[in-house]
Amino acid sequence: MIVLGIETSCDETAAAIVCSERGILSNHVLSQLKEHEAFGGVVPEIAARAHLDHLDTLIQAALMDAELSFDDLDGVAATTGPGLIGGVMVGMMAGKAIAAARGLPFISVNHLEAHVLTPRLTDKTAFPYLILLVSGGHTQILVAEDVGIYKRMGTTLDDALGECFDKSAKLMGLPYPGGPNLEKMAAGCKDPSAAIGKYNLPAPMVGRAGCDFSFSGLKTAMRQYVEKLPPGDLIPEDIADLSYAFEQKASRIVSDRLKHAIIDFKKSYGNGPLVISGGVAANKALRSALKSLANQEDMEFVAPPLGLCSDNGAMIAWTGIEKLKAGHVDSLDCAARPRWPLDPGAEKKIGAGVKA
Ligand code: KG4
Ligand code: ZN
């Protein structure tokens, strides 16, 4: 089974071809870094227009690279939410148009589900597994029971971890995109234990029952430390130390919350893999903290290759394959969804808002 996947929910325009037997045949991602850099973040209208400018070329490139034509496809999958709605509409309408013109099944893909199913593409991970989904807009701990069946164990009550990375980076004067730039600076920290001693950042929720997260206190503490440093541009050494302390504290918070989730997961499902996915899963400090946690807990650790953590079309095509195999096809009049929780039955959390 061969499926074209289209992703346009944020600032990456992406198209990929995935085969159920042979894996990724092509995977083209065009990042809009240049377009949004001057604004220090993603501007939704600029993102939508850039998707419109580049998507058809990317789809053609994905087909050419895979040495295939539209005739070889068994389906077209596109992200239909959640995300920046203008961009989502661009990819969704392109996908629907190809499906209509070629008489192919159209599969409407939840972007979060695509992150959650990525380890099944990259590592053939079997259900059930415990997954930390960490992206720019979401931070959740879920159990993936089967395609379309996800149980939310924890969520952030305020900021997402990616948002906290991005805002903290911005506070230190680092350019967009904040997360990867903060990681680069942290790698330059010369004395890790001195940095941690110097910047005693808080660990909100750590030690409390449950698996929910809160990152706004960490961000506020970052602001307070930045304000205490000498005025003007921060010196690279201070940024490196503060970035290192931040990464370590973020990893500690996430590990603590996951420990609680692992207890509940093991009670209900026996054992299974611990997975990390989403853009922030590219962070090496976080990956290494979770790998040690999985070792301690005698769990297999799965983290997709760095290029498949951030947004891409391959994860959308793969989700299309999983859904098609399960007999799921969408009507061409399905709507784009700015909000689309993976576990609609999960308890509503005060403060979680659209991040639930
Ligand atoms: O999954 P993703 O590409 O887009 C969304 O669905 O949101 O995640 C983007 C987020 C951004 O906040 C970005 O700064 C963060 O992932 N990110 C990182 C790293 N690479 C991307 N955060 C920390 N370290 C990284 N290496
Ligand atoms: Zn994403």
Side-chain angles (χ1 to χ4, degrees), residues 7 9-10 12 111-112 115 133 135-136 278-279 309-312 315:
E7 160 59 36
S9 68
C10 194
E12 259 101 22
H111 179 89
L112 302 175
H115 279 304
L133 169 58
S135 68
C309 287
S310 50
D311 295 347
N312 62 84
M315 68 180 191

Side-chain angles (χ1 to χ4, degrees), residues 260-311:
H260 291 213
I262 289 169
I263 294 170
D264 291 347
F265 176 73
K266 286 186 173 172
K267 259 191 223 150
S268 303
Y269 302 89
N271 206 345
L274 173 64
V275 175
I276 180 171
S277 169
V280 190
N283 184 271
K284 292 182 200 71
L286 195 59
R287 286 167 90 97
S288 119
L290 264 55
K291 193 172 182 198
S292 325
L293 177 63
N295 276 345
Q296 274 167 36
E297 298 287 344
D298 199 21
M299 295 169 90
E300 182 197 348
F301 177 64
V302 181
L306 300 189
L308 293 177
C309 287
S310 50
D311 295 347

Side-chain angles (χ1 to χ4, degrees), residues 26-78:
S26 65
N27 187 24
H28 287 251
V29 182
L30 186 73
S31 182
Q32 301 175 1
L33 288 186
K34 287 272 167 293
E35 281 90 338
H36 302 287
E37 203 172 20
F39 303 95
V42 181
V43 183
E45 183 62 25
I46 292 176
R49 285 166 190 251
H51 291 312
L52 206 51
D53 285 345
H54 302 296
L55 185 57
D56 53 349
T57 319
L58 276 177
I59 293 172
Q60 288 296 346
L63 282 168
M64 269 179 66
D65 200 15
E67 296 178 0
L68 296 174
S69 76
F70 285 128
D71 296 334
D72 301 305
L73 299 178
D74 296 296
V76 182

